[in-house]
Amino acid sequence: QVHLVESGGGSVQAGGSLRLSCAVSGIIDDDYCLGWFRQVPGKEREAVAAIDNWRSSYYADSVKGRFTISEEFSDHTLFLQMNGLKPEDSAMYFCAAREKSCFKDDYYLTSNYPSWGQGTQVSVSS
């Protein structure tokens, strides 16, 4: 059973930075994909970024150049460094895991991730 716990959310002004963390445990397979997703009330959960065991990373167009996903491979701790935050980045952020490498054509599909954290709130004011 994969277990994920997010931390690091908070409130910042536009242009500011936050670093989210996700403690991941229970991954057994050598192949895995870890992702960050976000959701605002009334909208579907959307992919932000993903990284896998091959160190391949993928980003949503809306965050490219501002956000960086990384992983501490020794213990699978997942990070999301968010710079240049905008009010439209405000959302509940979730980390997710699957025991299969990421692929460009499916890393963004929430249905491909069986394991999810509880989320951490990010609020960006203008």
Side-chain angles (χ1 to χ4, degrees), residues 49-66:
I51 190 168
D52 68 12
N53 55 290
W54 298 105
R55 306 195 183 190
S56 297
S57 58
Y58 305 89
Y59 294 91
D61 288 342
S62 60
V63 306
K64 281 181 181 177
R66 300 188 297 122

Side-chain angles (χ1 to χ4, degrees), residues 67-81:
F67 291 11
T68 303
I69 190 170
S70 61
E71 182 198 3
E72 174 53 59
F73 287 92
S74 62
D75 62 5
H76 299 308
T77 301
L78 184 67
F79 302 99
L80 185 68
Q81 178 65 43

Side-chain angles (χ1 to χ4, degrees), residues 5-49:
V5 179
E6 303 93 338
S7 61
S11 298
V12 296
Q13 289 190 327
S17 298
L18 281 174
R19 189 189 197 208
L20 305 184
S21 299
C22 177
V24 183
S25 60
I27 288 182
I28 298 174
D29 204 310
D30 290 338
D31 294 329
Y32 58 85
C33 178
L34 303 176
W36 285 103
F37 291 76
R38 64 188 182 187
Q39 188 172 25
V40 298
K43 292 192 175 181
E44 292 188 357
R45 193 168 295 188
E46 64 175 7
V48 175

